């Protein structure tokens, strides 16, 4: 009902403050990490390789977060949930994308710009860490990173429109006027 109407940590920070926003952020990360990490355990006896189970679980965790049946197929933008997925799939790729997010956030103070930058960087980071042998980066991981990036960018359409119009907010806490009377 407030701000962007988004259920994510950024909007929560603006209206409910940092403590609640951190809880939302941790919950969104967990939504991505837990099903991805534990997919092979829950699918005992399944014929798919563990890696594929993790990729499928991670992809659908992000999609389920973005288009939640619990809120009329609306949801978050998927950045924190994607972070959780990649913490489970490729911690090195997660770290690379996070560093991009942090650098852009410190420079612009615009969460959507930092988030989209990290999403765009993710496939390149996945590819790069595989090429230099820092971590495994098979083709399936690269494909999932591209697919998630595309969906994340689609979910950021309204942010892109506001950026073009010069109306995208800088991160700061909204302090409603005191109406005590």
């Amino acid at each position: 009902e407030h701000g962007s109407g988004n259920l994510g940590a950024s909007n929560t920070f603006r209206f409910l403050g940092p403590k609640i926003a951190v809880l939302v952020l941790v919950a969104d990360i967990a939504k991505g990490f837990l099903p991805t990490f534990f997919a092979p355990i829950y699918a005992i006896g399944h014929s798919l390789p563990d890696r594929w189970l993790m990729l499928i679980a991670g992809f659908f965790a992000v999609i389920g977060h973005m288009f939640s049946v619990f809120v009329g197929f609306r949801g978050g933008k998927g950045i924190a949930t994607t972070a959780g997925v990649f913490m489970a799939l490729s911690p090195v790729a997660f770290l690379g994308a996070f560093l991009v997010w942090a650098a852009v956030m410190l420079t612009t103070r615009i969460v959507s710009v930092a988030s989209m930058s990290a999403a765009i960087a993710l496939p390149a980071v996945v590819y790069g860490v595989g090429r230099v042998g820092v971590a495994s980066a098979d083709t399936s991981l690269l494909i999932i990173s591209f697919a998630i990036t595309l969906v994340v960018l689609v979910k950021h359409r309204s942010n892109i429109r506001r950026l073009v119009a010069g109306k995208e907010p800088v991160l700061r806490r909204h302090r409603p006027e005191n109406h005590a009377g």
Side-chain angles (χ1 to χ4, degrees), residues 83-104:
V85 167
F86 277 85
M87 283 178 180
L89 290 173
S90 177
V92 176
F94 156 74
L95 181 60
F98 174 75
L99 290 174
V100 169
W101 182 91
V104 174

Side-chain angles (χ1 to χ4, degrees), residues 19-21 30 42 44 49 78-79 97-98 116-118 128 136 155-156 170:
K19 291 178 185 173
I20 303 297
Y42 289 119
I44 292 175
I79 297 299
F98 174 75
M116 288 185 288
S117 297
S136 65
K155 282 294 275 192
H156 278 84
V170 173

Side-chain angles (χ1 to χ4, degrees), residues 36 54-65 85 89 144 147-148 151:
T36 305
M54 292 175 75
L55 290 165
I56 292 166
F59 180 75
F60 283 107
V62 173
I63 296 300
H65 171 77
V85 167
L89 290 173
I144 289 295
I148 289 175
V151 178

